[in-house]
């Protein structure tokens, strides 16, 4: 019910310091409002019905004033001493004016409705804040830790990096870390929003894992606050209690309330101009008896009604309540939104730029084409290729070996004399013959049979489809070619389609891969256009161009794409759980490595904008109607009822965001 200062850093200072709230379990405001109502009823009806003498009724009305105005007076005076005037102050002036006119019952009625509305509003807003603070309660207070040969239960605050924590079935995980022993499925929904539990298995080398935490795979990494399944896990702690992913999310989401959106900034500036105008209007109205044929008492009463009617309570709370609810709902769905500005901005954009590797694609190449040449079989081509590539540590070579082992069951270890030819390929000896694997340029340089024209054409066709190709020759015989590709995520196509349904009309890819690869992936998932062969600086330039043409959101991994995301209207990091860089650089972080949460984030931001607009129109509309109505005679009582009603409607309309669901992500 206050102006924008309600959302200053000390907006809850009275809740924390007030002895009454502590004694009454935080329900002091609602109890005082009820007492105000009871005393108002006795003080007004008692003398009318003849059951109470007038003096006792008057004392009851004085009591109603006390209980109804206690919290408002305390807060208003605190701000007045800071040189700030707020809406509580206007209400107190109106109630005092009513008492001055002898309308004690009407003034008490004003304070009762104001107090009950204030208490209900705080209750509703606390629901949104509790959705955030509830995240902090997910981590257990104690952990079972193994140090040396002994096992003990200690506070999670006493855990140190390197401790081995034992987590039994169905227990919450006390810390971020990686699995060193045991297997289980872990429910990570509180952190990443994933609907299904994620299978966890131990790392192969705990020392190497601890030295390179950011390289940990999803099946090895675990987060504080997630829930273990039926297995038992031994986890090595990698972050202290106050530095876990959950702790950082809670902190950032809590801070998001203070990061104002453009609409919040506008309403704050509007209020600074509007409230003094209200006071001036009330003063002028109180003097209207000088030019109108009415008593000074009537003019003063009308001025008090104008104060009530023109107080922009609903306007002050319209945007913050929606932003807070939207940010809280997003956090519960595994999406971290850093304040009102990115939440609102994402809801206005119709263009999204995607990074390719790890965002639209799985992030690791797969063997997608096996093309034997002549009389060679697929098995023979794959057997020779895998035997040689098994000696290489290149990601493409590892992909060949991995997929060959899946198809063949095993990979030969008979190759020898391995050599890498930079930028061209590799060579080795297998079964007494030289084997060369690489691109067409390799076979222009090495001795032996030149590359057949028909094989070269077939390889070019594969490359045009976005494949990374490897030609294989054993001795003087060409065995054929294999093609690898970083394949699109299974959900990518459906996600792009859902974004179009929501209203995103321009979707593109910016990638460092060659244009053929970028085009192939873009076509498969349904993007409008792909920009390939881009260096990091080129990505920034492209994002700036797109931003100038109406704004663009950029989604990437939050590390390699940080410069491009920083220059986008909204930067979105995917798979940010456990990544400090992603959490710091992005405006919005999708905590899980799940592209399906993107439509949820976009849909939520658009729903938030709709509710903000509804709230603004409702709040301004009520003020626009009430001001002339009170000037022409509407009393304080009806004005207060409409005024307080509109404020509660605005708050509860915003709370609808806590139940938001996107139709493609019902699990979130």
């Amino acid at each position: 019910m206050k102006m924008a200062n309600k959302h200053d850093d000390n907006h809850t200072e009275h809740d924390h310091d007030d002895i009454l709230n502590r004694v009454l379990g935080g329900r002091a405001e609602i109890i005082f409002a009820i007492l105000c109502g009871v005393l108002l009823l006795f003080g007004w009806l008692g003398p009318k019905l003849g059951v109470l003498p007038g003096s006792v009724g008057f004392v009851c009305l004085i009591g109603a004033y006390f209980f109804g105005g206690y919290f408002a007076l305390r807060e208003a005076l605190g701000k007045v001493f800071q040189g700030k005037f707020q809406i509580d102050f206007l209400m107190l002036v109106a109630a005092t004016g009513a008492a001055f006119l002898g309308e004690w019952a009407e003034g008490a009625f004003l304070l009762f409705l104001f107090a009950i509305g204030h208490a209900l509003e705080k209750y509703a807003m606390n629901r949104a804040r509790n959705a955030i603070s509830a995240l902090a309660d997910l981590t257990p207070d104690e952990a079972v830790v193994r140090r040396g040969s002994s096992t003990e239960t200690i506070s999670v605050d006493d855990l140190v990096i390197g401790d081995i924590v034992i987590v039994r079935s169905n227990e919450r995980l006390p810390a971020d870390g990686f699995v060193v022993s045991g297997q289980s499925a872990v429910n990570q929904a509180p952190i990443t929003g994933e609907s299904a539990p994620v299978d966890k298995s131990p790392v192969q080398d705990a020392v190497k894992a601890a030295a390179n935490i950011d390289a940990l795979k999803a099946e090895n990494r675990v987060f504080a606050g997630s829930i273990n399944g039926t297995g038992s896990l031994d986890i090595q702690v990698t972050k202290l209690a106050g530095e876990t992913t959950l702790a950082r999310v809670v902190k950032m989401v809590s801070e998001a309330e203070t990061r104002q959106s453009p609409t919040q900034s506008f309403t704050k500036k509007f209020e600074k101009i509007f409230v003094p105008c209200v006071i001036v209007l009330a003063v002028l109205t109180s003097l209207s008896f000088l030019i109108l044929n009415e008593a000074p008492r009537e003019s003063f009463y009308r001025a008090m009604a104008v104060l009530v009617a023109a107080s922009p309570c609903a306007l002050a709370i319209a945007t913050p309540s929606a932003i807070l609810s939207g940010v809280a709902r997003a956090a519960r769905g595994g999406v971290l939104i850093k304040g009102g500005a990115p939440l609102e901005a994402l809801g206005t954009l119709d263009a999204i730029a995607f990074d390719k590797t790890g965002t639209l694609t799985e992030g690791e190449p797969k063997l997608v084409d096996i093309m034997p040449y002549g009389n060679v079989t697929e098995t023979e081509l794959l057997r020779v290729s895998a035997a040689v590539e098994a000696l290489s540590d290149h990601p493409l070579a590892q992909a060949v070996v991995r997929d060959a082992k899946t198809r063949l069951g095993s990979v030969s270890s008979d190759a020898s004399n391995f050599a890498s030819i930079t930028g061209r390929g590799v060579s080795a000896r297998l079964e007494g013959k030289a084997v060369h694997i690489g691109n067409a340029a390799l076979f222009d340089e090495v001795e032996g049979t030149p590359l057949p024209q028909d094989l070269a054409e077939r390889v070019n066709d594969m490359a045009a489809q976005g494949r990374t190709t490897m030609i294989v020759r054993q001795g003087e015989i060409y065995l054929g070619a294999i093609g690898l590709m970083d394949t699109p995520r299974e959900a990518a196509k459906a996600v792009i389609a859902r974004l179009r349904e929501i209203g995103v009309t321009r979707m593109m890819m910016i990638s460092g891969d060659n244009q053929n690869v970028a085009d192939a992936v873009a076509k498969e998932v349904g993007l409008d256009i792909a920009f390939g062969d881009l260096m990091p600086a080129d990505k920034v330039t492209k994002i700036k161009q797109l931003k100038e043409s109406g704004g663009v959101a950029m989604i990437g991994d939050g590390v390699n794409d940080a410069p491009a995301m920083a220059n986008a209207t909204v930067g979105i990091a995917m798979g940010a759980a456990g990544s400090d860089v992603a959490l710091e650089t992005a405006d919005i972080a999708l905590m899980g490595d799940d592209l399906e949460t993107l439509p949820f984030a976009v849909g939520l931001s658009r729903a938030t904008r709709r509710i903000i607009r509804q709230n603004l129109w409702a709040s301004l509309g009520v003020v626009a109607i009430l001001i002339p109505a009170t000037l022409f005679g509407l009393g304080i009582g009806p004005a207060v009822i409409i005024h307080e009603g509109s404020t509660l409607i605005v708050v509860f309309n915003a709370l609808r965001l806590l139940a938001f669901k996107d139709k493609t992500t019902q699990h979130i």
Side-chain angles (χ1 to χ4, degrees), residues 280-289 294 299-300 302-303 306 631:
V280 171
L281 177 62
V283 171
L284 293 175
T285 304
S286 68
L287 300 175
S288 61
F289 69 90
E294 64 180 12
S299 296
F300 189 73
R302 185 183 293 113
V306 168
L631 286 173

Side-chain angles (χ1 to χ4, degrees), residues 611-663:
I611 284 182
I612 288 174
R613 288 198 301 270
Q614 291 168 5
N615 284 355
L616 289 178
W617 281 111
S619 55
L620 290 173
V622 167
V623 170
I625 293 171
L626 278 182
I627 289 178
T630 51
L631 286 173
F632 285 101
L634 183 69
I636 291 178
V640 171
I641 292 173
I642 297 171
H643 179 276
E644 296 302 319
S646 68
T647 303
L648 292 177
I649 287 172
V650 160
V651 173
F652 285 108
N653 186 44
L655 289 181
R656 292 193 299 124
L657 288 168
L658 293 175
F660 174 82
K661 287 186 178 181
D662 179 77
K663 70 179 185 181

Side-chain angles (χ1 to χ4, degrees), residues 105 195 208 211 240 251 255 300 313 321 343 354 429 453 487 531 534 553 631 666:
S195 60
K208 288 184 178 179
L240 300 178
K251 180 175 181 290
E255 290 175 348
F300 189 73
C313 296
S321 58
L343 179 60
F354 294 82
R429 293 196 67 82
Q453 183 64 32
T487 56
F531 302 101
L534 298 179
L631 286 173
Q666 294 295 314

Side-chain angles (χ1 to χ4, degrees), residues 38-299:
V38 171
L39 290 172
L40 169 62
L41 192 64
F42 279 103
W44 177 56
L45 278 182
K48 283 184 177 294
L49 298 177
V51 297
L52 287 178
S55 58
V56 175
F58 181 71
V59 171
C60 288
L61 292 177
I62 294 292
Y65 259 69
F66 171 80
F67 287 109
Y70 176 82
F71 286 101
L73 179 62
R74 177 178 173 177
E75 198 142 9
L77 289 178
K79 296 303 179 183
V80 167
F81 289 141
Q82 298 174 21
K84 300 176 182 178
F85 288 92
Q86 59 180 26
I87 295 169
D88 296 40
F89 178 78
L90 300 182
M91 289 294 181
L92 289 171
V93 171
T96 303
F100 180 77
L101 294 172
E103 301 289 346
W104 287 91
E106 194 156 9
F109 182 57
L110 186 159
L111 290 176
F112 166 67
L113 288 182
F114 183 72
I116 201 75
H118 198 289
L120 290 174
E121 175 199 317
K122 180 168 285 189
Y123 166 77
M125 289 295 289
N126 281 340
R127 279 195 59 196
R129 290 193 181 96
N130 289 340
I132 296 172
S133 61
L135 293 172
D137 298 331
L138 295 177
T139 304
D141 297 325
E142 296 180 330
V144 179
V145 62
R146 181 186 298 121
R147 292 174 174 170
S149 58
S150 64
T151 300
E152 57 183 316
T153 300
I154 64 173
S155 168
V156 293
D157 294 329
D158 295 330
L159 288 173
V160 298
I161 294 174
D163 272 342
I164 303 299
V165 172
I166 301 171
V167 183
R168 300 181 179 87
S169 62
N170 301 316
E171 290 183 346
R172 285 195 181 272
L173 276 65
D176 282 13
F178 57 83
V179 180
V180 294
S181 177
Q183 292 186 336
S184 186
V186 175
N187 179 2
Q188 298 183 160
I191 314 300
T192 65
E194 293 168 284
S195 60
V198 180
D199 291 332
K200 302 294 179 181
S201 57
V203 297
Q204 294 183 352
D205 189 325
V207 175
K208 288 184 178 179
N212 192 7
I213 296 171
D214 289 339
L216 288 171
K217 294 184 178 180
E219 59 263 31
N220 306 134
R221 185 194 295 267
V222 293
F223 304 104
S226 51
I227 307 167
N228 188 24
T230 56
S232 181
L233 298 174
D234 287 3
I235 296 166
Q236 183 164 324
V237 177
T238 58
K239 290 185 180 179
L240 300 178
E243 300 171 353
T244 65
T245 298
L246 181 61
R248 290 171 64 85
V249 168
V250 172
K251 180 175 181 290
M252 288 182 175
V253 173
S254 299
E255 290 175 348
E257 188 181 354
T258 65
R259 297 170 182 166
Q260 293 189 341
S261 70
T263 305
Q264 283 175 286
S265 299
F266 165 76
T267 54
K268 188 172 183 180
K269 293 176 183 176
F270 177 80
E271 288 163 5
K272 285 183 178 179
I273 299 171
F274 184 72
V275 172
C277 291
V278 169
I279 296 174
V280 171
L281 177 62
V283 171
L284 293 175
T285 304
S286 68
L287 300 175
S288 61
F289 69 90
L290 297 175
I291 58 175
L292 297 178
N293 185 24
E294 64 180 12
R297 174 190 177 90
E298 293 176 359
S299 296

